[in-house]
Amino acid sequence: MGLMDFIKGELLEIIEWQDDSRDTIAWRYPDDDKAIKNGAQLIVRESQVAQFLYLGQFGDTFTPGKHTLTTDNIPVLTRLKGWKYGFQSPFKADVYFVNTRLFTGNKWGTANPIMLRDADLGVVRARAYGTYDFKVVNVQTFLKEVAGSDHDFRVDEFADTMRSRIVSIFSDALANAHVPVFDVATRYIELGDALLPLINPVISSKYGIEVSSFIVENVSVPPEVEQAIDKRSAMSAIGNLNDYVKYQMAQGMAAGGGGGAAGMASELAVGFAVAKELMQQGGLTGGTPPPLPGAPAAAAGAAASTVANPDVLDPATVARMLGVSEADVMAEISAGTLAAKKIGSSYRVTRTALDAFLAQ
C-alpha cells in the first residue's frame, strides 16, 4: 500500500446516511477516528438534516442536498475551530443525521386513572389511550435534550418520556374541559384536535418535537361504573315498574303458575321481588316515602290490630303475604294503586282493597 493510499484510507471523503430502518430518529456517523477531508462530499437525503458538532458545540446544519465541505459553507465550524485564513488540512468533527420525517402510530395511555368530576356520575375515575404522530422540528434542541451523544437513537428509547408528558397534558386538559364522560365517546376527534395547541408548545420548547396528530381512541370508566350504567339503561328500558310487575305476573301465569287469587298473589310476589331487585340495583327509589315517626310502636300496634281483626291488615303483613318489602307496599299506597286508610301515623289495608289490587 502506497503512502497516498494510506492517507486516503484515513480520511473521510463521502459522508451519508442510508437509513433502512423505520424507527431511527438520530444517527451519529461512525468516523472510526478518521478526519474529514477538505472538500469531502456530504449527502443529505430527503427527510434528513445533518448537524455538525465540534468539541461539544453545535456547528453548521445542512438540509437535504449534496454539499462540498469547504470553508465557504461551514462558517460556524470555521469560527469555532479558529481558522483565520481558511483551512486546507483535514479536520475532526462529529456528524449527526436526524430523521425529520413523520413518525406515525405511536401509542399513549394513562398508567393510572384520571380523577374527574362528572355532572352525571359525580367523581369518577377514567382511563384513556390512543395514538399520536410526531416529527423533529428543531434538530439542535432534540439532540441536546433528547438524543444526547447516543450514536443510534430510536423511537422506543423516547416512548416512555413522550407518553408521560402527553398523558400529563391530556389529563389536565380533560379535567378542565368538564366534558361529561358519556359525551366523550362522541367527541374523540374534537378532543384530540383541541389538545394539539396545548401539547405542542410544551413538547416543541422542551424536546424540539411537534405532534402533528393526536388521536383519542377510548376513554373508559371502572367496571363497576360500567355495570351501574348498564343497570340504569335496563331500568330505562323497563319503564313503568307497575306495568312491569303486571307483565311478570302474566308471564308466570301463562307458564303454568296457577290460577285463582292464590296463584295471582304468588305471581305478584314474584313480580314484586324482581322489581325490588331492579330498584335496588338501579339505585331508584320510586318515590318511597320517608320512615314514619314512631314506627316501632306503630308496628306493635299493627300486630295487635291484625290479631284483633284479620280483615284489616297493616303494610308489614301485606308485604309478608306478597313476599315483597314493606317499602314496596308503601310505594303502591303512595301511588294510589293500593287503597289504604291512614289512622294516626299508621296505614291499614282491608282484604277487600288487597283483593281489588290483585285483580287489577
Side-chain angles (χ1 to χ4, degrees):
M1 178 184 294
L3 178 61
M4 295 304 298
D5 292 334
F6 173 78
I7 295 175
K8 185 177 180 180
E10 293 300 310
L11 299 178
L12 298 175
E13 296 186 359
I14 299 177
I15 302 173
E16 63 179 336
W17 178 30
Q18 297 178 341
D19 181 24
D20 58 356
S21 70
R22 297 295 299 170
D23 61 348
T24 302
I25 307 178
W27 181 75
R28 185 178 65 187
Y29 185 82
D31 56 14
D32 298 325
D33 203 29
K34 297 179 181 180
I36 300 174
K37 177 184 177 182
N38 177 32
Q41 300 297 306
L42 172 66
I43 300 174
V44 183
R45 290 175 168 76
E46 289 296 330
S47 299
Q48 291 181 357
V49 171
Q51 177 67 54
F52 277 69
L53 270 81
Y54 177 72
L55 298 179
Q57 300 183 69
F58 287 113
D60 300 277
T61 304
F62 295 88
T63 54
K66 184 177 181 181
H67 309 274
T68 301
L69 302 179
T70 63
T71 307
D72 295 336
N73 63 2
I74 52 174
V76 179
L77 183 60
T78 299
R79 185 177 69 253
L80 292 175
K81 194 169 178 61
W83 288 313
K84 296 181 180 180
Y85 307 105
F87 69 95
Q88 299 298 326
S89 60
F91 60 94
K92 295 282 291 183
D94 293 324
V95 183
Y96 285 86
F97 286 88
V98 178
N99 200 334
T100 59
R101 73 171 180 83
L102 193 66
F103 290 88
T104 61
N106 302 280
K107 298 184 181 300
W108 65 271
T110 54
N112 298 305
I114 308 169
M115 299 298 293
L116 300 175
R117 188 176 298 277
D118 188 80
D120 298 315
L121 303 176
V123 178
V124 64
R125 293 178 293 115
R127 292 182 179 271
Y129 64 84
T131 59
Y132 66 94
D133 306 332
F134 76 93
K135 62 181 178 180
V136 177
V137 293
N138 190 317
V139 172
Q140 294 187 3
T141 300
F142 177 78
L143 289 175
K144 179 181 179 181
E145 300 295 338
V146 181
S149 59
D150 196 329
H151 73 282
D152 189 7
F153 189 82
R154 298 177 178 273
V155 174
D156 56 359
E157 298 181 57
F158 191 45
D160 291 340
T161 301
M162 281 288 290
R163 186 181 299 113
S164 62
R165 172 64 68 176
I166 287 177
V167 167
S168 176
I169 298 173
F170 172 81
S171 302
D172 293 341
L174 186 60
N176 295 328
H178 301 295
V179 178
V181 173
F182 291 145
D183 296 340
V184 169
T186 63
R187 302 172 67 176
Y188 282 157
I189 297 178
E190 177 185 344
L191 184 60
D193 293 340
L195 288 174
L196 283 178
L198 302 176
I199 294 174
N200 277 326
V202 178
I203 298 297
S204 298
S205 62
K206 180 66 175 178
Y207 305 119
I209 286 175
E210 179 181 273
V211 176
S212 58
S213 176
F214 186 79
I215 301 174
V216 181
E217 295 182 2
N218 180 266
V219 175
S220 61
V221 295
E224 57 269 20
V225 178
E226 292 181 353
Q227 294 173 6
I229 294 173
D230 292 340
K231 292 171 183 176
R232 177 183 292 187
S233 300
M235 293 302 301
S236 298
I238 289 171
N240 187 283
L241 283 177
N242 187 41
D243 293 340
Y244 181 76
V245 169
K246 295 178 181 178
Y247 170 77
Q248 288 291 104
M249 181 179 66
Q251 289 292 100
M253 293 178 64
M264 293 177 66
S266 175
E267 298 304 329
L268 184 61
V270 173
F272 265 118
V274 174
K276 174 186 175 183
E277 179 67 19
L278 287 171
M279 291 175 69
Q280 291 176 344
Q281 293 180 355
L284 302 177
T285 60
T288 303
L292 298 174
S305 174
T306 302
V307 174
N309 188 353
D311 291 328
V312 178
L313 310 172
D314 65 327
T317 303
V318 174
R320 287 195 299 272
M321 293 175 62
L322 299 180
V324 299
S325 69
E326 186 174 351
D328 294 331
V329 175
M330 292 301 301
E332 296 297 330
I333 293 175
S334 299
T337 55
L338 176 59
K341 181 72 172 180
K342 185 175 182 181
I343 303 175
S345 60
S346 303
Y347 285 87
R348 294 294 180 267
V349 180
T350 64
R351 285 191 176 274
T352 302
L354 180 58
D355 292 338
F357 174 77
L358 295 176
Q360 291 181 10

